[in-house]
Amino acid sequence: MELGKAIPEWELESIFGDSVPRVRDLKGSLVLVLFFNLGCPGCKGRALPFANRVAYEKGEQVQVLGIHSRFEGPTYTDAQLRAAKEEYHIRFPYYRDAQSANTFYKYQAGGTPHWILLDCEGLLVYAIFGSDPNNALLRLDYRIQEAL
């Protein structure tokens, strides 16, 4: 993946029975993509709350989309992934990565949480791994503000 270029189409599976949006369908606003895993403490403790905040505070300007990816660790059932919506108060749509991690590897994610920010044209603006509030999340917050 290259900054300023379109990202490849993701390979996602529905958890809730809804249709999976295509990358090109999300053009017109900023798109924040979060790769997360329920077995990742940084995802549950910092990344999901950050993504929720973006969805709540900037939902009219930024579309947030989650991808539950399993490049390592235990497998989660759809029932467990659905229960996470209430447990973590998830305010944005999220999907399962096909074959556990197809999109994760295609997008060269560094682990979970991994963030991808797309501009209104669907071009890659920023990508960063991590959930440290004074590093990854701060940098991501600045990038979102700059892009608005």
Side-chain angles (χ1 to χ4, degrees):
M1 294 203 334
E2 189 177 334
L3 289 177
K5 301 286 184 181
I7 62 171
E9 194 60 51
W10 43 52
E11 299 175 47
L12 306 178
E13 300 167 353
S14 177
I15 297 167
F16 297 94
D18 54 343
S19 62
V20 176
R22 298 179 52 104
V23 173
R24 67 177 179 233
D25 297 337
L26 300 178
K27 289 184 180 179
S29 66
L30 290 178
V31 178
L32 178 62
V33 178
L34 165 62
F35 283 96
F36 72 100
N37 184 282
L38 292 179
C40 164
C43 295
K44 294 184 294 188
R46 293 181 298 272
L48 288 173
F50 180 85
N52 279 333
R53 182 178 63 83
V54 172
Y56 180 73
E57 293 177 357
K58 297 176 173 54
E60 292 182 16
Q61 301 166 297
V62 181
Q63 295 183 67
V64 179
L65 183 133
I67 301 174
H68 187 273
S69 190
R70 189 189 70 79
F71 69 100
E72 64 183 9
T75 301
Y76 291 89
T77 66
D78 280 352
Q80 290 170 309
L81 292 173
R82 284 190 295 270
K85 184 172 183 73
E86 185 175 323
E87 183 176 353
Y88 299 103
H89 308 285
I90 300 175
R91 299 172 178 264
F92 52 88
Y94 59 99
Y95 305 89
R96 178 190 299 277
D97 201 349
Q99 301 297 313
S100 297
N102 281 7
T103 307
F104 177 89
Y105 291 121
K106 186 188 289 188
Y107 289 9
Q108 303 165 353
T112 55
H114 189 94
W115 305 88
I116 294 173
L117 182 62
L118 305 176
D119 69 10
C120 297
E121 299 299 318
L123 305 178
L124 181 64
V125 175
Y126 194 61
I128 191 166
F129 163 70
S131 65
D132 183 318
N134 294 317
N135 186 9
L137 299 184
L138 181 63
R139 292 170 187 249
L140 191 56
D141 199 34
Y142 285 151
R143 292 293 178 133
I144 291 169
Q145 290 179 44
E146 289 171 356
L148 289 177

